[in-house]
Amino acid sequence: MTDVSPSSTTSAPGRVLAFLAHRWPTLAGLAAAALSVMDEQDGRAQGLVVFLAALIYLGTAVVGRPGVVWILFGASVAGVTVVRVLGADLWTVLVAGAVTVTVLSLVSGLPRGPRLAAVQIPLMLVFGAAALVALALDPVLGAWLVAVALIGHAVQDVIVWRANKVVARSLAEFCAVLDFTLGLAIIVLQFT
């Protein structure tokens, strides 16, 4: 009997395109990491990525709807752009936003919610603190701290992706690739 399933009738280029279309979050994560590394002067600046990732995850956990994560991601990119255009101190705004979302998470009952959602509170504190401390450290030591934080967040991304909880799987995949690749790139750049 001949196999006439769709996969057997699709050409090799068609299968490649179908695979790439299915893995768009991975491709987007690689592109974002490449763009972030292109103008890499000081790995500490990439602390912004891990800080925003933790804040977006916590915000999504507070809302309790994983699909909202892409809206929060877009809003954070737009917000950072606006703050920079206005010339305001970005880190002051980010810390104020993180404090606000953390307080909202505490009063919303998130600590008594599902464990993977509730753990976003301490993770925001850990990753946020790592990004802030890195800014105050020597450039090399700060870059190492940011790299470790990014790779740590990539581990969290994989856990969230596998559980299919807290954030949309597409964002968790995008973030895992971005975080891991960017963390690894910062480490490699420390040796060049």
Side-chain angles (χ1 to χ4, degrees):
M1 179 168 220
T2 305
D3 182 15
V4 291
S5 65
S7 62
S8 69
T9 60
T10 307
S11 66
R15 285 192 302 273
V16 169
L17 287 175
F19 174 80
L20 292 176
H22 184 66
R23 293 275 61 99
W24 70 265
T26 296
L27 297 173
L30 289 171
L35 288 172
S36 294
V37 171
M38 283 175 55
D39 64 353
E40 181 63 39
Q41 301 295 324
D42 183 345
R44 296 176 302 173
Q46 300 306 325
L48 175 63
V49 174
V50 76
F51 192 97
L52 285 176
L55 184 56
I56 291 166
Y57 271 47
L58 179 58
T60 305
V62 169
V63 174
R65 298 185 60 159
V68 168
V69 72
W70 281 110
I71 295 168
L72 294 179
F73 175 82
S76 71
V77 171
V80 166
T81 303
V82 167
V83 168
R84 285 182 170 160
V85 167
L86 294 175
D89 182 51
L90 178 61
W91 285 101
T92 301
V93 173
L94 288 174
V95 170
V99 168
T100 302
V101 174
T102 302
V103 169
L104 285 173
S105 72
L106 294 171
V107 300
S108 72
L110 185 60
R112 294 178 304 282
R115 184 173 39 189
L116 195 53
V119 78
Q120 300 310 309
I121 299 167
L123 289 175
M124 174 69 237
L125 299 174
V126 169
F127 291 125
L132 291 170
V133 168
L135 292 172
L137 293 175
D138 165 83
V140 173
L141 190 54
W144 277 98
L145 179 57
V146 168
V148 168
L150 283 163
I151 292 169
H153 197 272
V155 170
Q156 177 197 359
D157 296 325
V158 171
I159 292 168
V160 167
W161 182 87
R162 290 198 62 190
N164 198 16
K165 305 242 189 266
V166 183
V167 301
R169 287 187 101 191
S170 58
L171 188 281
E173 180 179 333
F174 164 81
C175 199
V177 172
L178 169 61
D179 293 347
F180 183 77
T181 306
L182 191 53
L184 191 59
I186 290 170
I187 291 170
V188 168
L189 289 172
Q190 297 309 304
F191 294 108
T192 59

